Amino acid sequence: MCINCLTKLVGRLSQEELVAQLPSFLPALFDAFSNQSPDIRKTVVFCLVDIYIMLGKAFVPYLEGLSSTQLRLVTIYANRISQARSGAPIDANQ
C-alpha cells in the first residue's frame, strides 16, 4: 500500500523534487524488490518505471543497486509504457 502511495506521489512531483527525494526512498524500494510476494515486486517495478519515465536516462545511475535481471525488467517495462503513452521509447525521448 505504501508503494502505491509513493507511485502516486512520484507523478505529482517536479523532476527536481523527485531527484532530491530519491535517496530517501530508493533503498526501501530496492529492498521491496526482493520481497517474496510477486504482488509487491510488481508494484515496485511499476513505481520504478514511473520514475524512469519521468526522469529518463538521468535515472539510470540510480538503478545501480538492482541486479541485471531487475534492471532489464524495469527498462523493458519503461520503454513499453513510454511507447504506449507517447509513441516513442525512452531511448528515443532522451
Side-chain angles (χ1 to χ4, degrees):
M1 183 178 218
C2 290
I3 299 169
N4 284 329
C5 290
L6 179 61
T7 301
K8 289 177 185 177
L9 178 64
V10 161
R12 295 182 180 184
L13 296 174
S14 69
Q15 287 183 338
E16 295 78 21
E17 291 170 324
L18 182 55
V19 169
Q21 293 302 317
L22 286 176
S24 69
F25 65 81
L26 269 185
L29 271 182
F30 291 167
D31 287 345
F33 211 159
S34 300
N35 193 286
Q36 290 181 338
S37 169
D39 290 334
I40 292 175
R41 292 192 309 267
K42 181 179 176 182
T43 304
V44 169
V45 168
F46 286 114
C47 184
L48 291 172
V49 164
D50 281 352
I51 297 168
Y52 197 161
I53 290 171
M54 190 166 177
L55 298 180
K57 290 291 186 179
F59 186 50
V60 172
Y62 293 95
L63 297 174
E64 291 177 354
L66 298 179
S67 70
S68 61
T69 305
Q70 291 170 328
L71 179 59
R72 189 168 48 248
L73 184 65
V74 170
T75 55
I76 287 170
Y77 273 100
N79 280 312
R80 284 184 185 168
I81 292 170
S82 178
Q83 192 158 15
R85 289 181 186 169
S86 69
I90 289 177
D91 293 335
N93 290 338
Q94 303 301 321

